[in-house]
Amino acid sequence: MAYNDKVLDHYENPRNVGSLDKNDPQVGTGMVGAPACGDVMKLQIRVDEQGVISDAKFKTFGCGSAIASSSLVTEWLKGKSLDEALSIKNQQIADELALPPVKIHCSVLAEDAIKTAISDYRSKQKGVDAP
Amino acid sequence: MANPSKSERGWSCWSCQAWVGQGAFCPTCQVIQPVAPHADYFSLFALPRAFALDGALLQQPYQALQRQFHPDRFAQRGATERRLSLEQVTHLNRAYQTLADPLRRSEYLLEQAGLGAEIDEKALNRDPTFLMEVMEQREALEEVDVQQKGAMQQLQVLRDDAQGRIAHEVAVLHTLHGVQEPDWAAIARHNHRLRYHQRFVQALDQVEEQIWQQEG
């Protein structure tokens, strides 16, 4: 199967690969997997005092489409509020990368990683706020 | 061209019209028959439908059936017989490959229980502890420098670890399948875990391949 140019670009030059300190209270970590293909994706966000995502990193082991989907969302996430980030839908990712139907689950995985990272951050913040 | 008719109970021979039942060959004229509809992989090898399976008990009937269906034996026959031998041998190989591999066998049993697709559709896995382990394995593999002398030994350590995990999951599947009313959701979960480990071993094989190519 031939990959689309944007997928190839993200695959060959992935943006924001790496890790943030998962124990930092300002960092939310989303870890998701696609059991049907054995892909695993880690997406991390750093949220500043204004509630804006100041940094995003990912690490994905999987096919080109899964790597491209996570690379793309790290670019999109920076500068967004958490609510804006939550409004990102897998269909937007799939459209941007022109993913074929068999690869839609890669974009679902990326959307799920965002949601998991944000909910991890929010549950940490509750812990911080608690007396 | 003859059009073999099929039914659940069996069928008549497409060639001589005598009753065949569900055999692969007509008992009257010995001509090869089509693959039985809904043919069960286990019954093909006269094995009980179970996850526990002795590899030798699969191997012997597989080789015997392969000889029976081998297309070379039908090279001098008519077009229908040649086509049917190919159908039979394809079905046989698919059945063998499914049953010989623990993951595929477990998935087949899940599918036969009518639950495979239903459970697989919930395509996301959020067991963070397990996923973290997978991520750590992957990172350890990524850190292996194929240029370094000790790379092969490092790979062997990772491989042993992964094989241990695979053996563990297979043992868990044995236990889960080995009861009267299996917990299919748990089986699906462990099938997934097994798939992650198998994928890891494939990734490891690719890295090892790079080392061989450098040396060669």
Side-chain angles (χ1 to χ4, degrees):
Chain A
M1 185 183 63
Y3 277 121
N4 164 283
D5 284 348
K6 283 181 181 163
V7 173
L8 273 181
D9 181 34
H10 277 281
Y11 180 69
E12 284 167 0
N13 311 294
R15 306 352 172 223
N16 308 307
V17 176
S19 293
L20 301 172
D21 177 10
K22 69 176 193 301
N23 298 317
D24 184 334
Q26 294 305 117
V27 170
T29 301
M31 188 79 109
V32 291
C37 51
D39 288 358
V40 55
M41 181 181 290
K42 181 173 76 173
L43 181 74
Q44 294 184 299
I45 51 168
R46 183 191 304 283
V47 184
D48 67 17
E49 288 71 23
Q50 281 75 46
V52 172
I53 297 171
S54 59
D55 199 5
K57 296 271 184 210
F58 84 96
K59 206 146 203 195
T60 294
F61 294 97
C63 66
S65 302
I67 290 168
S69 296
S70 36
S71 171
L72 176 69
V73 297
T74 55
E75 285 194 317
W76 281 357
L77 285 172
K78 286 187 197 177
K80 281 198 162 59
S81 72
L82 295 183
D83 286 337
E84 284 168 348
L86 282 174
S87 72
I88 296 174
K89 291 281 172 289
N90 83 283
Q91 193 58 49
Q92 295 166 259
I93 303 166
D95 288 347
E96 174 70 18
L97 297 173
L99 297 180
V102 292
K103 292 293 178 184
I104 295 298
H105 70 273
C106 298
S107 64
V108 174
L109 202 60
E111 181 192 325
D112 204 56
I114 299 173
K115 294 193 159 59
T116 315
I118 292 176
S119 93
D120 178 56
Y121 168 77
R122 285 187 166 155
S123 70
K124 271 183 179 174
Q125 290 298 307
K126 271 184 200 142
V128 170
D129 294 343
Chain B
M1 193 170 83
N3 184 21
S5 66
K6 300 170 178 181
S7 85
E8 285 278 333
R9 286 180 302 114
W11 57 85
S12 298
C13 176
W14 60 273
S15 178
C16 77
Q17 315 303 322
W19 182 249
V20 174
Q22 300 207 351
F25 293 90
C26 172
T28 309
C29 71
Q30 272 77 48
V31 159
I32 191 162
Q33 299 297 309
V35 174
H38 316 294
D40 178 76
Y41 289 167
F42 288 97
S43 56
L44 180 61
F45 301 102
L47 289 166
R49 180 194 285 250
F51 182 73
L53 187 147
D54 178 348
L57 291 182
L58 185 61
Q59 200 62 40
Q60 282 168 3
Y62 172 60
Q63 285 169 352
L65 288 166
Q66 229 184 10
R67 281 193 293 274
Q68 277 187 27
F69 297 142
H70 202 285
D72 285 356
R73 296 190 49 186
F74 298 86
Q76 309 300 321
R77 304 297 188 93
T80 306
E81 285 174 80
R82 292 205 306 272
R83 176 173 60 81
L84 291 177
S85 86
L86 205 62
E87 266 180 32
Q88 289 282 6
V89 101
T90 307
H91 176 252
L92 172 69
N93 287 337
R94 193 177 303 135
Y96 175 77
Q97 283 155 12
T98 303
L99 297 191
D101 175 49
L103 174 57
R104 292 179 66 178
R105 187 162 76 240
S106 181
E107 285 175 336
Y108 180 67
L109 286 162
L110 185 67
E111 188 188 301
Q112 295 285 297
L115 295 159
E118 197 179 310
I119 294 174
D120 251 347
E121 279 311 302
K122 295 173 189 161
L124 299 177
N125 182 324
R126 295 186 193 192
D127 178 350
T129 317
F130 175 71
L131 290 173
M132 191 62 86
E133 284 173 25
V134 174
M135 189 59 86
E136 279 167 7
Q137 280 178 290
R138 292 287 192 155
E139 284 174 345
L141 179 62
E142 200 182 41
E143 280 162 18
V144 173
D145 182 354
V146 293
Q147 314 285 346
Q148 292 286 318
K149 259 199 166 333
M152 218 48 159
Q153 284 87 333
Q154 283 176 287
L155 287 186
Q156 193 56 46
V157 172
L158 293 174
R159 187 184 293 281
D160 290 346
D161 176 66
Q163 296 298 358
R165 289 168 197 257
I166 287 173
H168 172 73
E169 291 303 331
V170 171
V172 171
L173 284 172
H174 264 287
T175 309
L176 288 171
H177 278 288
V179 296
Q180 280 291 324
E181 287 177 17
D183 177 351
W184 294 111
I187 287 171
R189 224 164 30 242
H190 285 277
N191 284 350
H192 291 157
R193 284 175 168 244
L194 188 51
R195 185 178 294 110
Y196 277 104
H197 295 317
Q198 290 192 348
R199 283 293 153 94
F200 176 73
V201 172
Q202 285 170 8
L204 202 149
D205 287 341
Q206 283 174 7
V207 176
E208 197 172 290
E209 187 67 26
Q210 289 174 22
I211 298 179
W212 287 117
Q213 279 170 3
Q214 278 177 13
E215 287 178 356

Coordinates of all heavy atoms in Angstrom, one line a residue, chain B residues 82-113:
Chain B
R82 N -9.1 -31.1 -10.6 CA -7.9 -30.3 -10.3 C -8.3 -29.1 -9.4 O -7.6 -28.8 -8.4 CB -7.2 -29.8 -11.6 CG -6.6 -30.9 -12.4 CD -5.5 -30.4 -13.3 NE -5.9 -29.3 -14.2 CZ -6.5 -29.5 -15.4 NH1 -6.7 -30.7 -15.9 NH2 -6.8 -28.4 -16.1
R83 N -9.4 -28.5 -9.7 CA -9.8 -27.3 -8.9 C -10.2 -27.8 -7.5 O -9.8 -27.1 -6.5 CB -11.1 -26.7 -9.6 CG -11.6 -25.5 -8.8 CD -12.7 -24.8 -9.6 NE -13.9 -25.7 -9.9 CZ -14.9 -26.0 -9.1 NH1 -14.8 -25.5 -7.8 NH2 -15.8 -26.8 -9.5
L84 N -10.9 -28.9 -7.4 CA -11.3 -29.3 -6.0 C -10.1 -29.7 -5.2 O -10.1 -29.5 -4.0 CB -12.3 -30.5 -6.1 CG -13.6 -30.1 -6.7 CD1 -14.5 -31.4 -6.8 CD2 -14.3 -29.1 -5.8
S85 N -9.1 -30.3 -5.8 CA -7.9 -30.7 -5.0 C -7.2 -29.4 -4.5 O -6.7 -29.4 -3.4 CB -6.9 -31.5 -5.8 OG -6.0 -30.7 -6.6
L86 N -7.2 -28.4 -5.3 CA -6.6 -27.1 -4.9 C -7.4 -26.5 -3.7 O -6.9 -26.0 -2.8 CB -6.6 -26.2 -6.1 CG -5.5 -25.1 -6.1 CD1 -4.1 -25.7 -6.0 CD2 -5.7 -24.1 -7.3
E87 N -8.7 -26.6 -3.9 CA -9.6 -26.1 -2.8 C -9.4 -26.8 -1.5 O -9.2 -26.2 -0.4 CB -11.1 -26.3 -3.1 CG -11.8 -25.1 -3.8 CD -13.2 -25.5 -4.1 OE1 -13.9 -26.2 -3.4 OE2 -13.7 -25.0 -5.1
Q88 N -9.3 -28.1 -1.6 CA -9.1 -28.9 -0.4 C -7.7 -28.6 0.3 O -7.6 -28.5 1.5 CB -9.1 -30.4 -0.7 CG -10.5 -30.9 -1.1 CD -11.4 -31.2 0.2 OE1 -11.0 -30.9 1.3 NE2 -12.6 -31.7 -0.1
V89 N -6.7 -28.5 -0.6 CA -5.4 -28.3 0.0 C -5.3 -26.9 0.6 O -4.6 -26.7 1.6 CB -4.3 -28.6 -1.1 CG1 -3.7 -27.4 -1.7 CG2 -3.2 -29.5 -0.5
T90 N -5.9 -25.9 0.0 CA -5.9 -24.6 0.6 C -6.6 -24.5 1.9 O -6.1 -24.0 2.9 CB -6.7 -23.6 -0.4 OG1 -6.1 -23.7 -1.7 CG2 -6.6 -22.2 0.0
H91 N -7.8 -25.2 2.0 CA -8.5 -25.3 3.2 C -7.7 -26.0 4.3 O -7.6 -25.6 5.4 CB -9.8 -26.0 3.0 CG -10.7 -26.2 4.2 ND1 -10.8 -27.5 4.8 CD2 -11.3 -25.3 5.0 CE1 -11.5 -27.3 5.9 NE2 -11.9 -26.1 6.0
L92 N -7.0 -27.1 3.9 CA -6.2 -27.9 4.8 C -5.1 -27.0 5.4 O -4.8 -27.0 6.6 CB -5.7 -29.1 4.1 CG -4.6 -29.9 4.8 CD1 -5.3 -30.6 6.0 CD2 -3.9 -30.9 3.9
N93 N -4.4 -26.3 4.5 CA -3.3 -25.4 5.0 C -3.8 -24.3 5.9 O -3.1 -24.0 6.9 CB -2.6 -24.8 3.8 CG -1.7 -25.8 3.0 OD1 -1.4 -26.9 3.6 ND2 -1.4 -25.6 1.8
R94 N -4.9 -23.8 5.6 CA -5.4 -22.7 6.4 C -5.8 -23.3 7.8 O -5.5 -22.7 8.8 CB -6.7 -22.1 5.8 CG -7.1 -20.8 6.5 CD -8.3 -20.1 5.8 NE -8.0 -19.9 4.3 CZ -8.9 -20.2 3.4 NH1 -10.0 -20.7 3.6 NH2 -8.5 -19.9 2.1
A95 N -6.4 -24.5 7.8 CA -6.8 -25.1 9.0 C -5.5 -25.4 9.9 O -5.5 -25.2 11.1 CB -7.6 -26.4 8.7
Y96 N -4.5 -25.9 9.2 CA -3.3 -26.3 9.9 C -2.6 -25.1 10.5 O -2.2 -25.1 11.7 CB -2.3 -27.0 9.0 CG -1.0 -27.3 9.6 CD1 -0.9 -28.4 10.5 CD2 0.1 -26.5 9.4 CE1 0.3 -28.7 11.1 CE2 1.3 -26.8 10.0 CZ 1.4 -27.8 10.9 OH 2.6 -28.1 11.5
Q97 N -2.5 -24.0 9.7 CA -1.8 -22.8 10.2 C -2.6 -22.2 11.4 O -2.0 -21.6 12.3 CB -1.7 -21.8 9.1 CG -0.5 -22.1 8.1 CD -0.7 -21.6 6.8 OE1 -1.6 -20.7 6.5 NE2 0.1 -22.0 5.8
T98 N -3.9 -22.3 11.3 CA -4.7 -21.8 12.4 C -4.5 -22.6 13.7 O -4.3 -22.0 14.8 CB -6.2 -21.8 12.0 OG1 -6.4 -21.0 10.8 CG2 -7.1 -21.1 13.1
L99 N -4.6 -23.9 13.6 CA -4.5 -24.7 14.8 C -3.1 -24.8 15.4 O -2.9 -25.0 16.6 CB -5.1 -26.1 14.5 CG -6.6 -26.1 14.2 CD1 -7.1 -27.6 14.2 CD2 -7.4 -25.2 15.1
A100 N -2.1 -24.7 14.5 CA -0.7 -24.9 14.9 C -0.2 -23.7 15.8 O 0.6 -23.9 16.6 CB 0.2 -25.1 13.8
D101 N -0.8 -22.5 15.6 CA -0.4 -21.4 16.3 C -1.3 -21.1 17.5 O -2.5 -20.9 17.3 CB -0.4 -20.2 15.4 CG 0.0 -18.9 16.1 OD1 1.0 -18.9 16.8 OD2 -0.8 -17.9 15.9
P102 N -0.8 -21.0 18.7 CA -1.7 -20.9 19.9 C -2.6 -19.6 19.8 O -3.8 -19.7 20.2 CB -0.7 -20.7 21.1 CG 0.5 -21.4 20.6 CD 0.6 -21.2 19.1
L103 N -2.1 -18.5 19.3 CA -2.9 -17.3 19.2 C -4.0 -17.5 18.2 O -5.2 -17.2 18.5 CB -2.0 -16.1 18.8 CG -2.8 -14.8 18.6 CD1 -3.7 -14.4 19.8 CD2 -1.9 -13.7 18.2
R104 N -3.7 -18.0 17.1 CA -4.7 -18.2 16.0 C -5.7 -19.2 16.5 O -6.9 -19.1 16.1 CB -4.1 -18.5 14.7 CG -3.3 -17.3 14.2 CD -2.6 -17.5 12.9 NE -3.6 -17.8 11.8 CZ -3.2 -18.0 10.5 NH1 -2.0 -18.0 10.2 NH2 -4.2 -18.2 9.6
R105 N -5.3 -20.3 17.2 CA -6.2 -21.3 17.6 C -7.1 -20.7 18.7 O -8.3 -21.0 18.6 CB -5.3 -22.4 18.3 CG -6.1 -23.6 18.7 CD -5.2 -24.8 18.9 NE -4.4 -24.8 20.1 CZ -3.1 -24.8 20.2 NH1 -2.4 -24.8 19.1 NH2 -2.5 -24.7 21.3
S106 N -6.6 -19.9 19.6 CA -7.5 -19.3 20.6 C -8.5 -18.3 19.9 O -9.6 -18.3 20.3 CB -6.6 -18.5 21.6 OG -7.3 -17.9 22.6
E107 N -8.0 -17.6 18.9 CA -8.9 -16.7 18.2 C -10.0 -17.4 17.5 O -11.1 -17.0 17.4 CB -8.1 -15.8 17.2 CG -7.3 -14.7 17.9 CD -6.4 -13.9 17.0 OE1 -6.1 -14.5 15.9 OE2 -6.1 -12.8 17.3
Y108 N -9.6 -18.6 16.9 CA -10.5 -19.4 16.2 C -11.6 -19.9 17.1 O -12.8 -19.9 16.8 CB -9.8 -20.6 15.5 CG -10.7 -21.5 14.7 CD1 -11.3 -21.1 13.6 CD2 -10.9 -22.8 15.1 CE1 -12.2 -21.9 12.8 CE2 -11.7 -23.7 14.4 CZ -12.3 -23.2 13.3 OH -13.1 -24.1 12.6
L109 N -11.2 -20.4 18.3 CA -12.2 -20.8 19.3 C -13.1 -19.7 19.7 O -14.4 -19.9 19.9 CB -11.5 -21.4 20.5 CG -10.9 -22.8 20.2 CD1 -9.8 -23.1 21.3 CD2 -11.9 -23.9 20.2
L110 N -12.6 -18.5 19.9 CA -13.4 -17.3 20.2 C -14.4 -17.0 19.1 O -15.6 -16.8 19.4 CB -12.4 -16.2 20.5 CG -13.0 -14.8 21.0 CD1 -13.5 -15.0 22.4 CD2 -11.9 -13.8 20.9
E111 N -13.9 -17.1 17.9 CA -14.7 -16.8 16.8 C -15.9 -17.8 16.6 O -17.0 -17.5 16.4 CB -13.8 -16.8 15.5 CG -14.4 -16.4 14.2 CD -13.3 -16.7 13.1 OE1 -12.2 -16.2 13.2 OE2 -13.7 -17.5 12.2
Q112 N -15.5 -19.1 16.9 CA -16.5 -20.2 16.8 C -17.5 -20.1 17.9 O -18.6 -20.6 17.7 CB -15.8 -21.6 16.9 CG -14.8 -21.8 15.7 CD -15.6 -22.2 14.4 OE1 -16.3 -23.2 14.4 NE2 -15.5 -21.4 13.4
A113 N -17.1 -19.5 19.0 CA -18.1 -19.3 20.1 C -19.0 -18.1 19.7 O -19.9 -17.7 20.5 CB -17.4 -19.0 21.4

